[in-house]
Amino acid sequence: MSTPIQKSIIITGGAGFIGSHVVRLFVNKYPDYRIINLDALTYAGNLENLKDIEKSSNYFFERVNLLDAAALQRVFEQHNPDGVIHLAAESHVGRSILSPLDFVYTNVVGTVNLLNAAKSHWAGNFEGKRFYHVSTDEVYGALGETGFFTETTPYSPNSPYSASKACSDHFVRAYG
């Protein structure tokens, strides 16, 4: 007899390089959790990364762009998630210099849309709910030959990419 599904977790950007490893880990390590891979399948997403788990009973894929607020609401209503692990982002500094607005839309507006969906869906019942936002060390700028960043290092983004991630970090903090 199988264990009933206890929790439901949305993982954004789950078809990307890092996201696919996170999705695979959760699908395999937590067979009693519903793992919803939410990805727009842009240049960085590839479902081939997840061929080995695509038929797992606790794995679900939703092709959704973070800019589509209505689709995000639908996913929250359909899957009733207890948590979100937010990995989806436009990335690569060079791309951000060529097209900074793409980074603002996905990394800032997309994150706010996701926060709004979670806030709306969880309204009045935040107990046991979690929203994990994954950022980048680039929000702190560049290190010299030595040193390291700490939790108290000031933000100092040096590209549209890192600026958009810093902005999304601040929105997540503000919603929290």
Side-chain angles (χ1 to χ4, degrees):
M1 181 173 189
S2 65
T3 306
I5 299 295
Q6 296 176 4
K7 291 195 182 274
S8 183
I9 300 172
I10 292 173
I11 300 175
T12 68
F17 177 73
I18 294 171
S20 63
H21 289 283
V22 174
V23 167
R24 182 178 297 99
L25 173 75
F26 273 73
V27 166
N28 290 324
K29 188 170 182 174
Y30 304 104
D32 55 334
Y33 286 24
R34 292 170 50 95
I35 306 303
I36 299 93
N37 173 8
L38 191 145
D39 200 297
L41 296 180
T42 61
Y43 69 94
N46 185 348
L47 289 176
E48 290 293 318
N49 294 335
L50 297 162
K51 278 292 197 193
D52 59 316
I53 61 156
E54 70 182 355
K55 295 195 186 318
S56 297
S57 63
N58 65 329
Y59 172 74
F60 303 86
F61 174 71
E62 294 282 350
R63 186 173 186 170
V64 173
N65 188 310
L66 295 177
L67 298 178
D68 188 343
L72 288 173
Q73 288 290 345
R74 179 190 55 77
V75 169
F76 270 77
E77 289 168 11
Q78 180 180 348
H79 294 285
N80 194 28
D82 300 287
V84 173
I85 300 173
H86 181 35
L87 298 160
E90 295 290 336
S91 60
H92 307 299
V93 171
R95 288 185 64 253
S96 77
I97 293 166
L98 293 173
S99 186
L101 276 178
D102 289 340
F103 287 70
V104 171
Y105 292 137
T106 298
N107 298 352
V108 181
V109 176
T111 297
V112 171
N113 284 343
L114 190 60
L115 286 163
N116 284 340
K119 181 181 175 186
S120 171
H121 188 73
W122 296 337
N125 183 22
F126 291 102
E127 189 171 332
K129 307 298 190 261
R130 297 290 180 264
F131 190 105
Y132 292 100
H133 171 71
V134 178
S135 188
T136 177
D137 64 334
E138 293 181 51
V139 299
Y140 300 114
L143 285 175
E145 291 294 316
T146 62
F148 50 91
F149 298 123
T150 69
E151 289 81 4
T152 59
T153 301
Y155 276 55
S156 183
N158 293 319
S159 71
Y161 164 58
S162 56
S164 69
K165 289 300 286 182
C167 187
S168 67
D169 293 352
H170 291 297
F171 269 104
V172 171
R173 183 177 185 279
Y175 272 65

